[in-house]
Amino acid sequence: MQQFLPIAFDSLPKPIWKPVVELSQFFRELTSTTLNVEQLRVMENNIPVLLCKLEQIFLPRFFDSMEHLPVHLPYEARVGSPVQYHWMYPFERHKMSNHLYTIVLYSHFF
């Protein structure tokens, strides 16, 4: 997805296209299997600027606490390890599927 996003939005005007591509590159570098500590420090300094660019493009209601999280990801990768080894997405997905199963199971009793 990180490879196709810049191509998919290539027809957008350049002031909109460039921050979207920068965000894609940010996540591509962040999720790589080898990390450079100095590059992570640069990413850590650049992500607030990138989020400000996105705030100028998108409506304010688009931004909630989830759009704030990329600010912390370079630090977590620098302190921990590559982020894919300590992300919680697989566990949350499993938890959600169990939750939906429980809802369907108990809805038959009412």
Side-chain angles (χ1 to χ4, degrees):
M1 188 68 178
Q2 296 161 356
Q3 303 291 334
F4 296 121
L5 192 63
I7 297 168
F9 293 123
D10 192 29
S11 62
L12 292 173
K14 291 298 177 191
I16 297 172
W17 180 77
K18 189 172 179 183
V20 171
V21 170
E22 289 177 17
L23 185 65
S24 177
Q25 290 173 343
F26 171 81
F27 280 108
R28 186 178 320 131
E29 291 174 8
L30 189 66
T31 57
S32 68
T33 55
T34 57
L35 297 174
N36 181 352
V37 175
E38 292 304 318
Q39 181 64 22
L40 287 172
R41 291 182 199 276
V42 170
M43 291 169 56
E44 197 171 351
N45 292 332
N46 291 342
I47 191 64
V49 176
L50 176 60
L51 290 177
C52 288
K53 290 178 188 177
L54 291 172
E55 286 177 357
Q56 293 174 353
I57 296 169
F58 296 105
L59 296 173
R61 65 184 148 201
F62 174 77
F63 292 92
D64 59 5
S65 62
M66 291 303 290
E67 280 70 30
H68 166 78
L69 290 179
V71 173
H72 303 288
L73 292 178
Y75 173 75
E76 288 181 18
R78 198 164 37 92
V79 171
S81 60
V83 292
Q84 63 266 25
Y85 299 125
H86 55 93
W87 270 353
M88 295 300 295
Y89 296 131
F91 304 106
E92 290 174 358
R93 188 179 311 124
H94 178 70
K95 179 181 168 187
M96 186 62 174
S97 65
N98 284 343
H99 178 70
L100 291 175
Y101 175 75
T102 306
I103 290 172
V104 170
L105 180 68
Y106 288 112
S107 67
H108 295 294
F109 293 114
F110 297 108

